[in-house]
Amino acid sequence: MEIFSLKNEIKEYILIKKREGKKIGLVPTMGFLHEGHCQLIRKARSECEIVVLSIFVNPTQFGPSEDFNKYPRDFQRDKSMAIKEGVDIIFCPEAKEMYGENSLAYVDIKKISKVMCGKFRPGHFRGVCSVVLKLFNIIMPDAAYFGLKDYQQYLIIKKMVEDLDLNIEVFGCETVREKDGLAMSSRNKYLSESQRENSLVLYHSLNLAAKNLIEKKKSIQAIKKQSRQMLEENKYVNKIDYFDIRNADDLSNLSAYKQKASKILIASAIYIGKTRLIDNIAILI
Amino acid sequence: MEIFSLKNEIKEYILIKKREGKKIGLVPTMGFLHEGHCQLIRKARSECEIVVLSIFVNPTQFGPSEDFNKYPRDFQRDKSMAIKEGVDIIFCPEAKEMYGENSLAYVDIKKISKVMCGKFRPGHFRGVCSVVLKLFNIIMPDAAYFGLKDYQQYLIIKKMVEDLDLNIEVFGCETVREKDGLAMSSRNKYLSESQRENSLVLYHSLNLAAKNLIEKKKSIQAIKKQSRQMLEENKYVNKIDYFDIRNADDLSNLSAYKQKASKILIASAIYIGKTRLIDNIAILI
C-alpha cells in the first residue's frame, strides 16, 4: 500500500495508473474508520483496479462552534484497517497542503444544500462540495463511494457531478448499523454508555414514521409530530435540529401523500448531550 | 474539422484522442470571432495536437438587462475562420444541452470576483467560472487560452484552476488592437461610426494613466482623477463603471506607489451609448 500526503505526488502516481487504463475508485473519508467505511472500500475493491482511500478532516466543512478540533483521529488504526481491506493508496494531506495560503474558489449547490443539515450547518455543504471536487481533480477517479447515512451529502455530490459534467460514477452505499440499529458513525465514540443506549431513539423515531407512512392512516404532519414527540420525551435528547419527511429525489418537502409510488426520505438530526447525530431511512410508498 | 453540439459525443471523441496521448488545447469563446480569437487559436495550434474551439453564448453570465439576446452570432463565418486557422473541433452546444433542466451547482471565487466588472455585473463571474469548469470537464484540455482584454476573467479562471487542483495550464494572450488602438471585441460591432471613433478615448485614458504612473509625479488618486476626467469630457461616454488602478496579481487596490517594482493593472469599463466596453493595460513600475 502506498501513502501520499502531497497532491503532486499522488497525481503523478495516479496518472501512470490511468495511462495503463486502470479503473480508479475513491472512498473519501475523514478517517477514524468503522464498518461503514469498510463496506465502501469493499464495494470499491470489487469494482475497481486501484482503490484510493482519502483521509482528511476538512476544516472548511465545520462551523466555528463545531467539533473540528476534537473530531476523532487515529491514523495507525485507519492504516491497519486499510491494509486489511486491500486499499492500494491512502491520501492523507495536511490542510495547508490541501488549500495552500489563499484559496478563494468554492463550489456550492442551490436549493438542496439549504435544507436539513444545510439549514443548521451553514456553509457545511459548500465545504463538502469544494473539498470533494478538489479530491476528484487530484485523484481523477472513475467511481466514488459515499455512505447513505449522509444521504443529503450523497445527493449533493451526485448533483454536483452531473451539473459540472464530471466523468465520475457516484455510488451511495447502504447505512451500516450496529446490532441494535444505531447507524455507525465516527461520532458515536463521543457517547457515554447511557447516551449510547438512549441514542437508539433516533432510529426508532424514523422507523415509527416509516410504519405510519406505510399505513397511510395519519397525515404527514401528524406523523412528523408523533416522531418528534418520541424524541422530545427522551431526556437524553438535548435538541432536535430537524425531523423531516421529504421527496428523496430532490429533498422537496412532502406535505401530502402522492398518488404515484415514490421514494420518500425520513431524516433527522438530533443532539444527544453535545453529540450531533444524524440518520435517515428511505422508503417506497 | 469536426463539429459537435452534444456533450457526450465530444467527450467520447476527446477520450479517444487522450488515450492516444494527444495534447488537447481549448479556446473557449462566445463566437463572432475576431483577430483576438484567431491569435488564441494560433497559440493553441502551435502548442497542442488537438485544438478545440468552443462557441457558446452563455446565458448565465449575462445580467437580466444585459445584451444576451442581441449578442452578435454568425456560425458560418466562425466556422470558416476556424477552418482557416486549423481548428480540429468546434464545440457549439445549445444552452439546454449545456445545462439540462435543473442545474443547481455553481463555482465562484471570493474577493477577486467582487471588484471591477464583478461589482457592476453581479453574478457574471459565477456564470463564467461555472461554464468554464463545465467546458474543462467536458473537453478535458491540457491547456486553455484566454485573451488578456478580459484580464479579470483570466485571473479568476487561473485562480479557479489552482484552487480546485485542475490539471490545466491557463494562458493569457496579449490584447489584440485595431490599428488605432481600440481593443478588439465582438461588441465593437454595436458601435456607430462616430461612436467607434470616440471609443478610442478608453484606450487613451488608460495610456494617460500609464504615462503618469511611470513618471510618478502625481498621486495615484490624482492620476485616476485625470483619466476619469478625460473620459467624462467625451460626450460619447455615457457612463463610467470604473477606472481602477490595482495590483495585477490579486486585484487589490493600489493606493500608493510601492518601493519594489511590481505589475500594476490599469483597467476601465465604460458605456459608449448602450455599448459596454472594457480595456486594460498592465505595466511594471
Side-chain angles (χ1 to χ4, degrees), chain A residues 7 11 98 102-112 126 130 133-134 137-138 140 159-160 163-167, chain B residues 7 11 98 102-112 126 130 133-134 137-138 140 159-160 163-167:
Chain A
K7 296 191 280 192
K11 267 191 188 180
M98 201 58 178
N102 181 36
S103 183
L104 300 178
Y106 61 88
V107 193
D108 209 339
I109 303 273
K110 295 172 203 165
K111 291 183 185 171
I112 54 173
R126 175 174 295 189
S130 304
L133 183 59
K134 283 167 68 71
N137 290 333
I138 294 163
M140 300 165 270
K159 189 75 180 123
M160 174 179 84
D163 287 356
L164 297 182
D165 300 301
L166 288 157
N167 308 309
Chain B
K7 295 190 282 191
K11 266 190 188 182
M98 201 59 178
N102 180 36
S103 184
L104 300 178
Y106 61 87
V107 193
D108 208 339
I109 302 275
K110 295 172 201 165
K111 292 183 184 171
I112 55 174
R126 177 174 294 190
S130 304
L133 183 59
K134 282 166 70 69
N137 289 333
I138 295 163
M140 301 166 272
K159 189 72 179 129
M160 175 178 85
D163 287 356
L164 297 182
D165 300 302
L166 289 157
N167 307 310

CSV table of all heavy atoms in Angstrom, one decimal, chain A residues 7 11 98 102-112 126 130 133-134 137-138 140 159-160 163-167, chain B residues 7 11 98 102-112 126 130 133-134 137-138 140 159-160 163-167:
chain,number,residue,atom,x,y,z
A,7,LYS,N,-0.2,16.5,-2.9
A,7,LYS,CA,-1.0,16.4,-4.1
A,7,LYS,C,-0.3,16.0,-5.3
A,7,LYS,O,-0.7,15.1,-6.1
A,7,LYS,CB,-1.7,17.8,-4.3
A,7,LYS,CG,-2.6,18.2,-3.1
A,7,LYS,CD,-3.5,19.4,-3.5
A,7,LYS,CE,-2.7,20.7,-3.3
A,7,LYS,NZ,-3.6,21.9,-3.4
A,11,LYS,N,-0.9,12.7,-7.7
A,11,LYS,CA,-1.3,12.9,-9.0
A,11,LYS,C,-0.5,12.2,-10.0
A,11,LYS,O,-0.9,11.5,-11.0
A,11,LYS,CB,-1.2,14.4,-9.4
A,11,LYS,CG,-2.5,15.2,-9.1
A,11,LYS,CD,-2.4,16.6,-9.7
A,11,LYS,CE,-3.6,17.4,-9.3
A,11,LYS,NZ,-3.5,18.8,-9.8
A,98,MET,N,-3.6,21.0,1.3
A,98,MET,CA,-4.8,20.9,0.5
A,98,MET,C,-5.3,22.2,0.0
A,98,MET,O,-5.7,22.3,-1.1
A,98,MET,CB,-5.9,20.3,1.5
A,98,MET,CG,-7.1,19.6,0.8
A,98,MET,SD,-6.6,18.3,-0.3
A,98,MET,CE,-8.2,17.8,-0.9
A,102,ASN,N,-4.0,30.9,0.2
A,102,ASN,CA,-5.0,31.9,-0.1
A,102,ASN,C,-6.1,31.3,-1.1
A,102,ASN,O,-6.2,31.8,-2.2
A,102,ASN,CB,-4.3,33.1,-0.7
A,102,ASN,CG,-5.3,34.2,-1.0
A,102,ASN,OD1,-6.2,34.4,-0.3
A,102,ASN,ND2,-5.0,34.9,-2.1
A,103,SER,N,-6.8,30.3,-0.6
A,103,SER,CA,-7.7,29.6,-1.5
A,103,SER,C,-9.0,30.5,-1.6
A,103,SER,O,-9.6,30.8,-0.6
A,103,SER,CB,-8.0,28.2,-1.0
A,103,SER,OG,-8.9,27.6,-1.8
A,104,LEU,N,-9.5,30.8,-2.8
A,104,LEU,CA,-10.6,31.6,-3.0
A,104,LEU,C,-11.8,31.0,-3.7
A,104,LEU,O,-12.9,31.4,-3.6
A,104,LEU,CB,-10.2,32.9,-3.8
A,104,LEU,CG,-9.1,33.8,-3.2
A,104,LEU,CD1,-8.8,34.9,-4.2
A,104,LEU,CD2,-9.6,34.4,-1.9
A,105,ALA,N,-11.5,29.9,-4.4
A,105,ALA,CA,-12.6,29.2,-5.2
A,105,ALA,C,-13.4,28.3,-4.4
A,105,ALA,O,-12.9,27.7,-3.4
A,105,ALA,CB,-12.0,28.4,-6.4
A,106,TYR,N,-14.7,28.2,-4.7
A,106,TYR,CA,-15.6,27.2,-4.0
A,106,TYR,C,-16.7,26.8,-4.9
A,106,TYR,O,-17.0,27.4,-5.9
A,106,TYR,CB,-16.2,27.9,-2.7
A,106,TYR,CG,-17.0,29.1,-2.9
A,106,TYR,CD1,-18.4,29.0,-3.2
A,106,TYR,CD2,-16.5,30.3,-2.9
A,106,TYR,CE1,-19.2,30.1,-3.4
A,106,TYR,CE2,-17.2,31.5,-3.2
A,106,TYR,CZ,-18.6,31.3,-3.4
A,106,TYR,OH,-19.4,32.4,-3.7
A,107,VAL,N,-17.3,25.7,-4.5
A,107,VAL,CA,-18.4,25.1,-5.3
A,107,VAL,C,-19.6,25.0,-4.3
A,107,VAL,O,-19.4,24.7,-3.1
A,107,VAL,CB,-18.1,23.7,-5.8
A,107,VAL,CG1,-19.1,23.3,-6.8
A,107,VAL,CG2,-16.7,23.6,-6.3
A,108,ASP,N,-20.8,25.3,-4.8
A,108,ASP,CA,-21.9,25.1,-4.0
A,108,ASP,C,-23.1,24.7,-4.9
A,108,ASP,O,-23.0,24.7,-6.1
A,108,ASP,CB,-22.3,26.4,-3.2
A,108,ASP,CG,-23.0,26.2,-1.9
A,108,ASP,OD1,-23.5,25.1,-1.7
A,108,ASP,OD2,-22.9,27.0,-1.0
A,109,ILE,N,-24.2,24.3,-4.2
A,109,ILE,CA,-25.4,23.8,-4.9
A,109,ILE,C,-26.6,24.6,-4.3
A,109,ILE,O,-26.7,24.7,-3.1
A,109,ILE,CB,-25.6,22.3,-4.5
A,109,ILE,CG1,-24.4,21.5,-4.9
A,109,ILE,CG2,-26.8,21.7,-5.1
A,109,ILE,CD1,-24.3,21.0,-6.3
A,110,LYS,N,-27.4,25.1,-5.2
A,110,LYS,CA,-28.6,25.8,-4.8
A,110,LYS,C,-29.6,24.8,-4.2
A,110,LYS,O,-29.5,23.6,-4.4
A,110,LYS,CB,-29.2,26.5,-5.9
A,110,LYS,CG,-28.3,27.6,-6.5
A,110,LYS,CD,-28.9,28.2,-7.8
A,110,LYS,CE,-27.9,28.9,-8.6
A,110,LYS,NZ,-28.3,29.1,-10.0
A,111,LYS,N,-30.6,25.3,-3.5
A,111,LYS,CA,-31.8,24.5,-3.0
A,111,LYS,C,-31.4,23.4,-2.1
A,111,LYS,O,-31.5,23.5,-0.9
A,111,LYS,CB,-32.6,24.0,-4.2
A,111,LYS,CG,-33.3,25.2,-4.9
A,111,LYS,CD,-34.2,24.7,-6.0
A,111,LYS,CE,-34.8,25.9,-6.8
A,111,LYS,NZ,-35.5,25.4,-8.0
A,112,ILE,N,-30.9,22.2,-2.7
A,112,ILE,CA,-30.8,21.0,-1.8
A,112,ILE,C,-29.7,21.2,-0.8
A,112,ILE,O,-29.6,20.3,0.1
A,112,ILE,CB,-30.5,19.7,-2.7
A,112,ILE,CG1,-29.4,19.9,-3.6
A,112,ILE,CG2,-31.8,19.4,-3.5
A,112,ILE,CD1,-29.0,18.6,-4.3
A,126,ARG,N,-21.1,23.6,1.2
A,126,ARG,CA,-20.1,24.3,0.4
A,126,ARG,C,-18.7,23.8,0.7
A,126,ARG,O,-17.9,23.5,-0.3
A,126,ARG,CB,-20.1,25.8,0.7
A,126,ARG,CG,-19.1,26.6,0.0
A,126,ARG,CD,-19.2,28.1,0.1
A,126,ARG,NE,-20.4,28.6,-0.4
A,126,ARG,CZ,-20.7,29.9,-0.6
A,126,ARG,NH1,-19.8,30.8,-0.2
A,126,ARG,NH2,-21.9,30.3,-1.1
A,130,SER,N,-16.7,21.6,-2.2
A,130,SER,CA,-15.4,22.1,-2.6
A,130,SER,C,-14.2,21.1,-2.4
A,130,SER,O,-13.4,20.9,-3.3
A,130,SER,CB,-15.1,23.4,-1.9
A,130,SER,OG,-16.1,24.4,-2.1
A,133,LEU,N,-14.7,18.1,-4.8
A,133,LEU,CA,-14.3,18.4,-6.1
A,133,LEU,C,-12.7,18.4,-6.2
A,133,LEU,O,-12.2,17.9,-7.2
A,133,LEU,CB,-14.9,19.7,-6.6
A,133,LEU,CG,-14.5,20.1,-8.1
A,133,LEU,CD1,-15.0,19.0,-9.0
A,133,LEU,CD2,-15.1,21.4,-8.4
A,134,LYS,N,-12.1,19.0,-5.2
A,134,LYS,CA,-10.6,19.0,-5.2
A,134,LYS,C,-10.1,17.6,-5.2
A,134,LYS,O,-9.2,17.2,-6.0
A,134,LYS,CB,-10.1,19.8,-4.0
A,134,LYS,CG,-10.2,21.3,-4.2
A,134,LYS,CD,-10.0,22.0,-2.9
A,134,LYS,CE,-8.6,22.0,-2.3
A,134,LYS,NZ,-7.5,22.7,-3.1
A,137,ASN,N,-10.4,16.1,-8.6
A,137,ASN,CA,-9.4,16.6,-9.6
A,137,ASN,C,-8.0,16.1,-9.3
A,137,ASN,O,-7.2,15.9,-10.2
A,137,ASN,CB,-9.4,18.1,-9.6
A,137,ASN,CG,-10.7,18.7,-10.2
A,137,ASN,OD1,-11.3,18.0,-11.0
A,137,ASN,ND2,-11.1,19.9,-9.8
A,138,ILE,N,-7.7,15.8,-8.0
A,138,ILE,CA,-6.4,15.3,-7.7
A,138,ILE,C,-6.3,13.8,-8.0
A,138,ILE,O,-5.3,13.4,-8.6
A,138,ILE,CB,-6.1,15.5,-6.1
A,138,ILE,CG1,-6.0,17.0,-5.8
A,138,ILE,CG2,-4.9,14.8,-5.7
A,138,ILE,CD1,-6.2,17.3,-4.4
A,140,MET,N,-8.6,11.9,-9.7
A,140,MET,CA,-9.2,11.5,-11.0
A,140,MET,C,-9.9,10.2,-11.1
A,140,MET,O,-9.6,9.3,-11.9
A,140,MET,CB,-8.1,11.6,-12.1
A,140,MET,CG,-7.5,13.0,-12.3
A,140,MET,SD,-5.9,13.0,-13.2
A,140,MET,CE,-4.7,12.7,-11.9
A,159,LYS,N,-25.4,15.4,-7.6
A,159,LYS,CA,-25.9,16.6,-8.4
A,159,LYS,C,-24.7,17.4,-8.9
A,159,LYS,O,-24.7,17.9,-10.0
A,159,LYS,CB,-26.8,17.4,-7.5
A,159,LYS,CG,-27.6,18.5,-8.3
A,159,LYS,CD,-28.7,17.9,-9.1
A,159,LYS,CE,-29.5,19.0,-9.9
A,159,LYS,NZ,-29.4,18.8,-11.3
A,160,MET,N,-23.7,17.6,-8.0
A,160,MET,CA,-22.5,18.4,-8.4
A,160,MET,C,-21.9,17.7,-9.6
A,160,MET,O,-21.5,18.4,-10.6
A,160,MET,CB,-21.5,18.5,-7.3
A,160,MET,CG,-20.2,19.1,-7.7
A,160,MET,SD,-19.1,19.3,-6.3
A,160,MET,CE,-18.3,17.7,-6.3
A,163,ASP,N,-24.1,18.2,-12.7
A,163,ASP,CA,-24.2,19.6,-13.2
A,163,ASP,C,-22.9,20.1,-13.7
A,163,ASP,O,-22.9,21.0,-14.6
A,163,ASP,CB,-24.7,20.5,-12.1
A,163,ASP,CG,-26.2,20.4,-11.8
A,163,ASP,OD1,-26.8,19.6,-12.5
A,163,ASP,OD2,-26.7,21.0,-10.8
A,164,LEU,N,-21.8,19.6,-13.2
A,164,LEU,CA,-20.5,20.1,-13.6
A,164,LEU,C,-19.9,19.2,-14.7
A,164,LEU,O,-18.7,19.4,-15.1
A,164,LEU,CB,-19.5,20.3,-12.4
A,164,LEU,CG,-19.9,21.4,-11.4
A,164,LEU,CD1,-18.9,21.5,-10.3
A,164,LEU,CD2,-20.2,22.7,-12.0
A,165,ASP,N,-20.6,18.2,-15.2
A,165,ASP,CA,-20.2,17.3,-16.3
A,165,ASP,C,-18.9,16.5,-15.9
A,165,ASP,O,-18.1,16.3,-16.8
A,165,ASP,CB,-19.9,18.2,-17.5
A,165,ASP,CG,-21.2,18.9,-18.0
A,165,ASP,OD1,-22.2,18.2,-18.2
A,165,ASP,OD2,-21.2,20.1,-18.1
A,166,LEU,N,-18.8,16.2,-14.7
A,166,LEU,CA,-17.7,15.3,-14.3
A,166,LEU,C,-17.9,13.9,-14.8
A,166,LEU,O,-19.0,13.4,-14.8
A,166,LEU,CB,-17.5,15.3,-12.8
A,166,LEU,CG,-17.0,16.7,-12.2
A,166,LEU,CD1,-17.3,16.8,-10.7
A,166,LEU,CD2,-15.4,16.7,-12.4
A,167,ASN,N,-16.8,13.2,-15.1
A,167,ASN,CA,-16.9,11.9,-15.6
A,167,ASN,C,-16.7,10.8,-14.5
A,167,ASN,O,-15.7,10.1,-14.6
A,167,ASN,CB,-15.9,11.7,-16.7
A,167,ASN,CG,-16.0,12.8,-17.8
A,167,ASN,OD1,-17.1,13.0,-18.3
A,167,ASN,ND2,-14.9,13.5,-18.1
B,7,LYS,N,-22.7,17.0,-25.6
B,7,LYS,CA,-21.6,16.8,-24.6
B,7,LYS,C,-21.0,15.4,-24.7
B,7,LYS,O,-19.8,15.2,-24.8
B,7,LYS,CB,-22.1,17.1,-23.2
B,7,LYS,CG,-22.5,18.5,-23.0
B,7,LYS,CD,-22.8,18.8,-21.5
B,7,LYS,CE,-24.1,18.3,-21.0
B,7,LYS,NZ,-24.5,18.8,-19.7
B,11,LYS,N,-17.2,14.3,-25.7
B,11,LYS,CA,-16.4,13.6,-24.6
B,11,LYS,C,-15.8,12.3,-25.2
B,11,LYS,O,-14.7,12.0,-24.9
B,11,LYS,CB,-17.4,13.2,-23.5
B,11,LYS,CG,-17.4,14.2,-22.4
B,11,LYS,CD,-18.2,13.7,-21.2
B,11,LYS,CE,-18.4,14.7,-20.1
B,11,LYS,NZ,-19.1,14.2,-19.0
B,98,MET,N,-26.3,22.2,-22.6
B,98,MET,CA,-25.2,22.6,-21.7
B,98,MET,C,-25.7,22.4,-20.2
B,98,MET,O,-24.9,21.9,-19.4
B,98,MET,CB,-24.8,24.0,-22.0
B,98,MET,CG,-23.4,24.3,-21.5
B,98,MET,SD,-22.1,23.3,-22.2
B,98,MET,CE,-20.7,24.0,-21.4
B,102,ASN,N,-32.4,21.4,-14.8
B,102,ASN,CA,-32.5,21.8,-13.4
B,102,ASN,C,-31.1,21.9,-12.8
B,102,ASN,O,-30.8,21.2,-11.8
B,102,ASN,CB,-33.4,20.9,-12.6
B,102,ASN,CG,-33.5,21.3,-11.1
B,102,ASN,OD1,-33.5,22.4,-10.8
B,102,ASN,ND2,-33.5,20.3,-10.3
B,103,SER,N,-30.2,22.7,-13.4
B,103,SER,CA,-28.8,22.8,-12.9
B,103,SER,C,-28.7,23.6,-11.6
B,103,SER,O,-29.3,24.7,-11.5
B,103,SER,CB,-28.0,23.5,-14.0
B,103,SER,OG,-26.7,23.5,-13.6
B,104,LEU,N,-28.1,23.0,-10.6
B,104,LEU,CA,-28.0,23.7,-9.3
B,104,LEU,C,-26.6,24.0,-8.8
B,104,LEU,O,-26.4,24.8,-8.0
B,104,LEU,CB,-28.7,22.8,-8.2
B,104,LEU,CG,-30.2,22.4,-8.4
B,104,LEU,CD1,-30.6,21.4,-7.3
B,104,LEU,CD2,-31.1,23.6,-8.4
B,105,ALA,N,-25.6,23.4,-9.4
B,105,ALA,CA,-24.3,23.6,-9.0
B,105,ALA,C,-23.6,24.8,-9.6
B,105,ALA,O,-23.9,25.1,-10.7
B,105,ALA,CB,-23.4,22.3,-9.3
B,106,TYR,N,-22.8,25.5,-8.9
B,106,TYR,CA,-22.0,26.6,-9.4
B,106,TYR,C,-20.7,26.7,-8.7
B,106,TYR,O,-20.5,26.2,-7.6
B,106,TYR,CB,-22.8,27.9,-9.3
B,106,TYR,CG,-23.1,28.3,-7.8
B,106,TYR,CD1,-22.2,29.0,-7.1
B,106,TYR,CD2,-24.3,27.9,-7.2
B,106,TYR,CE1,-22.5,29.4,-5.8
B,106,TYR,CE2,-24.6,28.2,-5.9
B,106,TYR,CZ,-23.7,28.9,-5.2
B,106,TYR,OH,-24.0,29.2,-3.9
B,107,VAL,N,-19.8,27.4,-9.4
B,107,VAL,CA,-18.5,27.7,-8.8
B,107,VAL,C,-18.3,29.2,-8.7
B,107,VAL,O,-18.8,30.0,-9.6
B,107,VAL,CB,-17.4,27.2,-9.8
B,107,VAL,CG1,-16.0,27.2,-9.0
B,107,VAL,CG2,-17.7,25.8,-10.3
B,108,ASP,N,-17.7,29.7,-7.7
B,108,ASP,CA,-17.4,31.1,-7.6
B,108,ASP,C,-16.1,31.3,-6.9
B,108,ASP,O,-15.5,30.4,-6.4
B,108,ASP,CB,-18.6,31.8,-6.9
B,108,ASP,CG,-18.7,33.3,-7.3
B,108,ASP,OD1,-17.8,33.9,-7.9
B,108,ASP,OD2,-19.8,33.8,-7.1
B,109,ILE,N,-15.6,32.6,-6.9
B,109,ILE,CA,-14.3,32.9,-6.4
B,109,ILE,C,-14.6,34.1,-5.5
B,109,ILE,O,-15.2,35.0,-5.8
B,109,ILE,CB,-13.4,33.4,-7.5
B,109,ILE,CG1,-13.2,32.3,-8.6
B,109,ILE,CG2,-12.0,33.8,-6.9
B,109,ILE,CD1,-12.1,31.3,-8.3
B,110,LYS,N,-14.0,34.0,-4.3
B,110,LYS,CA,-14.2,35.2,-3.3
B,110,LYS,C,-13.3,36.3,-3.8
B,110,LYS,O,-12.4,36.1,-4.6
B,110,LYS,CB,-13.8,34.7,-1.9
B,110,LYS,CG,-14.7,33.7,-1.3
B,110,LYS,CD,-14.2,33.2,0.0
B,110,LYS,CE,-14.7,31.8,0.3
B,110,LYS,NZ,-14.0,31.1,1.4
B,111,LYS,N,-13.5,37.5,-3.2
B,111,LYS,CA,-12.7,38.7,-3.4
B,111,LYS,C,-12.5,39.1,-4.8
B,111,LYS,O,-13.1,40.1,-5.2
B,111,LYS,CB,-11.3,38.5,-2.7
B,111,LYS,CG,-11.4,38.4,-1.2
B,111,LYS,CD,-10.0,38.2,-0.6
B,111,LYS,CE,-10.1,38.0,0.9
B,111,LYS,NZ,-8.8,37.7,1.5
B,112,ILE,N,-11.6,38.4,-5.6
B,112,ILE,CA,-11.3,39.0,-6.9
B,112,ILE,C,-12.5,39.0,-7.9
B,112,ILE,O,-12.4,39.6,-9.0
B,112,ILE,CB,-10.1,38.3,-7.6
B,112,ILE,CG1,-10.3,36.7,-7.7
B,112,ILE,CG2,-8.8,38.6,-6.9
B,112,ILE,CD1,-9.2,36.0,-8.4
B,126,ARG,N,-19.5,34.3,-11.6
B,126,ARG,CA,-20.1,33.0,-11.2
B,126,ARG,C,-20.5,32.2,-12.4
B,126,ARG,O,-20.2,31.0,-12.6
B,126,ARG,CB,-21.2,33.2,-10.2
B,126,ARG,CG,-21.9,31.8,-9.9
B,126,ARG,CD,-23.0,32.0,-8.8
B,126,ARG,NE,-22.4,32.5,-7.5
B,126,ARG,CZ,-23.1,32.5,-6.4
B,126,ARG,NH1,-24.4,32.1,-6.4
B,126,ARG,NH2,-22.5,32.9,-5.3
B,130,SER,N,-18.5,28.9,-13.7
B,130,SER,CA,-19.3,27.6,-13.8
B,130,SER,C,-19.2,27.0,-15.2
B,130,SER,O,-19.0,25.8,-15.4
B,130,SER,CB,-20.7,27.8,-13.3
B,130,SER,OG,-20.7,28.4,-12.0
B,133,LEU,N,-15.7,25.8,-16.0
B,133,LEU,CA,-15.4,24.5,-15.4
B,133,LEU,C,-16.1,23.3,-16.1
B,133,LEU,O,-15.5,22.3,-16.3
B,133,LEU,CB,-15.8,24.5,-13.9
B,133,LEU,CG,-15.4,23.2,-13.1
B,133,LEU,CD1,-13.9,23.0,-13.2
B,133,LEU,CD2,-15.9,23.3,-11.7
B,134,LYS,N,-17.4,23.6,-16.5
B,134,LYS,CA,-18.1,22.6,-17.3
B,134,LYS,C,-17.3,22.2,-18.6
B,134,LYS,O,-17.1,21.1,-18.9
B,134,LYS,CB,-19.5,23.0,-17.6
B,134,LYS,CG,-20.5,22.9,-16.4
B,134,LYS,CD,-21.8,23.7,-16.6
B,134,LYS,CE,-22.7,23.1,-17.6
B,134,LYS,NZ,-23.3,21.8,-17.2
B,137,ASN,N,-14.4,20.1,-17.9
B,137,ASN,CA,-14.7,18.7,-17.6
B,137,ASN,C,-15.2,18.0,-18.8
B,137,ASN,O,-15.0,16.8,-18.9
B,137,ASN,CB,-15.8,18.7,-16.5
B,137,ASN,CG,-15.2,19.1,-15.2
B,137,ASN,OD1,-14.0,19.0,-14.9
B,137,ASN,ND2,-16.1,19.6,-14.3
B,138,ILE,N,-15.8,18.7,-19.8
B,138,ILE,CA,-16.3,18.0,-21.0
B,138,ILE,C,-15.1,17.8,-21.9
B,138,ILE,O,-15.0,16.7,-22.5
B,138,ILE,CB,-17.4,18.9,-21.7
B,138,ILE,CG1,-18.6,19.0,-20.8
B,138,ILE,CG2,-17.7,18.3,-23.1
B,138,ILE,CD1,-19.6,20.1,-21.2
B,140,MET,N,-11.8,18.2,-21.3
B,140,MET,CA,-10.5,17.7,-20.6
B,140,MET,C,-9.2,18.2,-21.2
B,140,MET,O,-8.3,17.4,-21.6
B,140,MET,CB,-10.6,16.2,-20.6
B,140,MET,CG,-11.8,15.6,-19.9
B,140,MET,SD,-12.0,13.8,-20.3
B,140,MET,CE,-13.1,13.9,-21.8
B,159,LYS,N,-7.1,31.3,-11.0
B,159,LYS,CA,-7.2,31.1,-9.6
B,159,LYS,C,-8.1,29.8,-9.4
B,159,LYS,O,-7.9,29.0,-8.5
B,159,LYS,CB,-7.8,32.3,-8.9
B,159,LYS,CG,-7.8,32.3,-7.4
B,159,LYS,CD,-6.4,32.4,-6.8
B,159,LYS,CE,-6.4,32.3,-5.3
B,159,LYS,NZ,-5.5,31.4,-4.7
B,160,MET,N,-9.2,29.8,-10.1
B,160,MET,CA,-10.1,28.6,-10.0
B,160,MET,C,-9.3,27.3,-10.3
B,160,MET,O,-9.5,26.3,-9.6
B,160,MET,CB,-11.3,28.7,-11.0
B,160,MET,CG,-12.2,27.5,-11.0
B,160,MET,SD,-13.6,27.7,-12.2
B,160,MET,CE,-12.8,27.2,-13.7
B,163,ASP,N,-7.0,26.7,-7.3
B,163,ASP,CA,-7.7,26.3,-6.1
B,163,ASP,C,-8.4,25.0,-6.1
B,163,ASP,O,-8.6,24.3,-5.1
B,163,ASP,CB,-8.6,27.4,-5.7
B,163,ASP,CG,-7.9,28.7,-5.2
B,163,ASP,OD1,-6.7,28.6,-5.1
B,163,ASP,OD2,-8.6,29.7,-4.9
B,164,LEU,N,-8.9,24.6,-7.3
B,164,LEU,CA,-9.6,23.4,-7.4
B,164,LEU,C,-8.7,22.2,-7.9
B,164,LEU,O,-9.2,21.1,-8.2
B,164,LEU,CB,-10.8,23.5,-8.3
B,164,LEU,CG,-11.9,24.5,-7.9
B,164,LEU,CD1,-13.1,24.6,-8.9
B,164,LEU,CD2,-12.4,24.2,-6.5
B,165,ASP,N,-7.4,22.5,-8.0
B,165,ASP,CA,-6.5,21.4,-8.3
B,165,ASP,C,-6.7,20.8,-9.7
B,165,ASP,O,-6.5,19.6,-9.9
B,165,ASP,CB,-6.5,20.3,-7.3
B,165,ASP,CG,-6.1,20.8,-5.9
B,165,ASP,OD1,-5.0,21.4,-5.8
B,165,ASP,OD2,-7.0,20.7,-5.0
B,166,LEU,N,-7.2,21.6,-10.7
B,166,LEU,CA,-7.3,21.1,-12.0
B,166,LEU,C,-6.0,21.0,-12.7
B,166,LEU,O,-5.0,21.8,-12.4
B,166,LEU,CB,-8.2,22.1,-12.8
B,166,LEU,CG,-9.7,22.1,-12.4
B,166,LEU,CD1,-10.4,23.4,-12.8
B,166,LEU,CD2,-10.4,20.9,-13.1
B,167,ASN,N,-5.9,20.0,-13.6
B,167,ASN,CA,-4.6,19.8,-14.3
B,167,ASN,C,-4.6,20.5,-15.6
B,167,ASN,O,-4.4,19.8,-16.6
B,167,ASN,CB,-4.4,18.3,-14.4
B,167,ASN,CG,-4.5,17.6,-13.1
B,167,ASN,OD1,-3.9,18.0,-12.1
B,167,ASN,ND2,-5.4,16.6,-13.0
